Amino acid sequence: MITQCHQVAGSVDVVLPCLNEAEALPWVLDRIPPGYRAIVADNGSSDGSAGLARARGALVVDVPRRGYGAAVQAGLLAADADVVCVCDADASLDPGQLPGLVAELTSGRADLVLGRRRPTSARAWPPHARLGNAVVAQRLRRRGVPVRDLGPMRAARRAELLGLPVADRRFGYPLELLLRAAQAGWRIAETDVDYHPRVGRSKVTGTPLGTARTVRDMTAALASLR
């Protein structure tokens, strides 16, 4: 179900996958740039995240199917702007930096722009999570995908994104997206963005075991994708 509040569509839509991010959402939504519209893809939150987002004027999409990829896909389908960004809703990334990614896209220099994370403190990116990201990025580069980070902040054209045959609806979505984009001949660029300590514990790489499982699952996904 989609709930539209008073905010009108802007020139850029920002999809915010969300699962129990009520503590972080006020800061995140307050940082959405002028002319950009927040689309909160709520993945079954039980902490009032959806109601909070509606009260702050965001477009809220209820996504009963669990999974990061399912939330992103639902947000993309609800968007109507030509340019769409994706950003985590946990306050680890500042939506105020999205115009830098959009500028790279709309200049024609790239078809997909990723925010390459630069931690603002040691707490922002624990060593186990940073290592896991580096391992997967290295394996992507071996497949011809020129990235150093599987960053969760990105910008692209909505129609082109929806045209990619990305099937993963869980945590393998970012990896498959990059691989499919490279296979389609997209120009992929990275630009540095600040990476802050997130509010709350990561649902993917919050522990060394969680990181190891993520690397294992993404490695299996890479092996299965051709």
Side-chain angles (χ1 to χ4, degrees), residues 90-173:
D90 59 9
S92 63
L93 295 162
D94 183 355
Q97 294 187 304
L98 286 171
L101 278 69
V102 172
E104 286 292 305
L105 178 73
T106 57
S107 70
R109 291 189 289 268
D111 304 300
L112 174 63
V113 185
L114 306 174
R116 182 170 52 191
R117 291 170 287 183
R118 291 291 182 256
T120 59
S121 72
R123 275 196 318 119
W125 206 349
H128 62 268
R130 194 166 188 170
L131 176 61
N133 177 78
V135 168
V136 176
Q138 181 184 52
R139 289 171 182 172
L140 274 172
R141 291 196 299 277
R142 289 174 182 168
R143 296 281 292 270
V145 186
V147 296
R148 296 283 173 180
D149 185 12
L150 275 71
M153 178 183 276
R154 64 188 80 96
R157 305 277 180 183
R158 175 180 180 271
E160 282 74 10
L161 278 174
L162 290 173
L164 288 177
V166 182
D168 195 292
R169 293 294 180 263
R170 295 189 63 79
F171 295 117
Y173 177 94

Side-chain angles (χ1 to χ4, degrees), residues 6-90:
H6 60 78
Q7 187 171 347
V8 297
S11 60
V12 177
D13 282 334
V14 183
V15 176
L16 299 164
C18 174
L19 176 58
N20 293 327
E21 304 292 3
E23 289 185 71
L25 272 175
W27 184 87
V28 172
L29 294 174
D30 286 349
R31 298 290 298 169
I32 297 292
Y36 287 47
R37 178 178 62 160
I39 300 177
V40 174
D42 188 67
N43 210 194
S45 296
S46 58
D47 67 346
S49 291
L52 185 154
R54 291 186 184 101
R56 287 178 173 263
L59 172 66
V60 176
V61 184
D62 294 321
V63 189
R65 180 179 179 180
R66 284 295 180 94
Y68 174 84
V72 172
Q73 185 72 5
L76 290 176
L77 291 172
D80 56 22
D82 175 42
V83 174
V84 176
C85 300
V86 177
C87 181
D88 278 356
D90 59 9

